[in-house]
Structure formats: structure tokens, C-alpha cells
Amino acid sequence: MRGAKGGKSGLGDAEPSRPDLNAWIEALGAAPGGTVTEDQILAWVEGPLRRFFPFQRFLGAYGRLVGGRIRMRNLVTSGYPHGFVAGLEESFDLGARGCFAWWVQNRAAFILDPADPPPFATARELDEIKELSLGVVAGHGVIDPFANAGTYLSFAGVAADQKQHLRMSLNLIAPVLHALFLATEQVAAQGIDLGKLTERQRELVDLALMGLPDKTIASRLGISEHTVGNHFRVIYERLGISKRSQLIAALK
């Protein structure tokens, strides 16, 4: 039998706290619908979702698994320095990040507490936590096995003493954000018209779809990395997008 509310069970363990379902219903009701943009996802995450699930920093990405490598197609972040976001690889080996690889294999929420890290956490991940002062990180997402694609979510700076609460909350959050990322990808795909580009610009797009960085593209085409960047700025403007991940999301 359970003891009084806020006390302990007969086994001597404190009852795990549960998500505030009223706060979740409010957040769910405020989620964007119809045509969804990355800016709308970010506004929902930083507003209604944060009131239900407090955090300091957020990273959400939709990607595909191709040849043992993850290729990011959509990326939304909150609270991370620009330099860190700009340095993220648009494609990486599945095993390069232990927590991500564990999540893909187990498809369950995980908590990465640097004070007591799980065995699958890599030195790289622990170094990032220390360097960026991330605190405790909670991760989850949704995988579509038929499309070899999925949405991965990471919340940093969450409460370290409510791990079961975090996992239950992430089970509610993950499918909603996955649906929003899918809606964002569909909108991006509808707005891309490569007929607006020159032959040279389409050549750069093809190289970008191979996951090549600007430096490699510049080397292949015999131009400077600065010129490659200028080309892509024009490409984004003509296609009505703002970054590489949107281009890849629309054309992959």
C-alpha cells in the first residue's frame, strides 16, 4: 500500500513525481498547426513547452540514416552559442555519439548526468557538457523505421533529481515534436523550384546533397571557399530558404 501523499511506499522508495497534465494540455493546445515553420517550432518550444518541461537549452533535428551515416535535414536550437551550432556536422557516423547511438538502438528516453554518466556516453559528449555548461541532458525522439528517418530531441539544463519524471514527460513530447518537424519538412519541399537556379548553382546544390562541406566543394570546383559561401547565399535567396538543412530537407 502507498503511504500518505508525498511520503514513501511500503518498499521505502519515494513516489516518482508525474508530469503536470494540465500544463501539458495547455502546451498541446498551443502547438502550431497547418503549415509549420522552424520559427514556429522554436516559439512553441521556448514558450508553452518550456512552461511544462523546464530546460535551459534545446536541440531538435530531423534526419535520415543513409549508409550508416546520419544526415540532418532540419535543425532547431535554443540557447546554444552560434559557433557550436555552426560547427555541427550535417552528416556523421551513427556511432560517433554514444548517447545518440544508444537511443537509436533502444528507442527510449535517456538522462545524461555528468556527475553519474551512463556507460554509453562518449568522452566527446561529456566534454561538450563541460565546455558549454549544459548540466543534465535529457534526450528522446521518434524513429520511422520504414523511412529510415526520425526526429531526435535534446534538452539541456533539466532537473537532475526527477529522472523518472523527465522520462515520462519526454514520452509525451517526442511524438508531438516529431509531427511538427515532419510538417516543416513538407512545407520546405513544396516551395523548392530548382528551375530558378543557374546550371552552376544546381551543380553546387548537387554537391551539398552529397554532404560535402564548403571547403571540399571549393576544392572540387576550383574556387575559393568564400565564393562557395556567396553562391549558397544567392541560392537560398532564390529558393526562399535560409540555410543548408532546409535545402537538403526539401531535396533528399
Side-chain angles (χ1 to χ4, degrees):
M1 294 180 62
R2 293 183 177 180
K5 185 176 180 181
K8 296 184 178 181
S9 68
L11 297 176
D13 296 325
E15 291 188 22
S17 61
R18 296 182 178 277
D20 183 342
L21 293 183
N22 288 330
W24 172 241
I25 291 171
E26 291 180 5
L28 197 58
T35 57
V36 180
T37 66
E38 290 183 357
D39 287 342
Q40 287 176 306
I41 293 178
L42 182 60
W44 184 69
V45 167
E46 292 183 332
L49 182 60
R50 182 179 251 150
R51 289 191 286 274
F52 164 70
F53 189 78
F55 66 91
Q56 293 179 3
R57 304 185 189 191
F58 167 78
L59 184 150
Y62 178 83
R64 292 189 180 278
L65 177 61
V66 181
R69 290 180 65 81
I70 300 296
R71 297 188 181 277
M72 287 197 300
R73 296 159 61 111
N74 299 77
L75 177 66
V76 175
T77 66
S78 173
Y80 282 92
H82 174 74
F84 172 79
V85 177
L88 290 173
E89 311 98 320
E90 292 183 352
S91 66
F92 58 90
D93 290 333
L94 180 59
R97 291 180 172 272
C99 290
F100 183 86
W102 183 92
W103 169 72
V104 169
Q105 181 177 1
N106 294 276
R107 304 185 187 183
F110 68 85
I111 311 299
L112 174 50
D113 185 346
D116 184 23
F120 49 80
T122 63
R124 175 183 179 181
E125 289 165 324
L126 294 174
D127 287 344
E128 284 179 352
I129 288 177
K130 182 179 180 180
E131 179 183 352
L132 298 171
S133 300
L134 298 182
V136 177
V137 177
H140 200 7
V142 173
I143 293 177
D144 179 356
F146 300 103
N148 283 331
T151 301
Y152 176 70
L153 313 168
S154 173
F155 296 87
V158 297
D161 59 345
Q162 299 186 22
K163 294 180 180 179
Q164 185 62 25
H165 170 99
L166 294 174
R167 291 187 178 93
M168 289 188 290
S169 297
L170 286 169
N171 287 335
L172 296 174
I173 294 168
V176 176
L177 275 170
H178 177 63
L180 293 179
F181 271 97
L182 286 180
T184 302
E185 180 173 84
Q186 292 165 2
V187 170
Q190 294 169 0
I192 295 295
D193 179 8
L194 294 182
K196 298 178 179 179
L197 304 181
T198 66
E199 183 177 347
R200 183 63 153 180
Q201 289 168 342
R202 288 196 293 270
E203 185 178 9
L204 270 87
V205 168
D206 289 340
L207 294 173
L209 292 177
M210 293 170 61
L212 302 179
D214 285 1
K215 184 175 181 179
T216 304
I217 293 174
S219 177
R220 287 202 177 194
L221 299 180
I223 58 180
S224 71
E225 189 174 350
H226 177 73
T227 300
V228 171
N230 287 338
H231 276 307
F232 276 114
R233 278 189 284 274
V234 175
I235 290 170
Y236 300 155
E237 182 177 353
R238 290 190 177 184
L239 298 180
I241 57 179
S242 60
K243 54 188 175 180
R244 188 81 55 92
S245 62
Q246 291 175 315
L247 179 67
I248 294 173
L251 299 177
K252 275 287 189 178

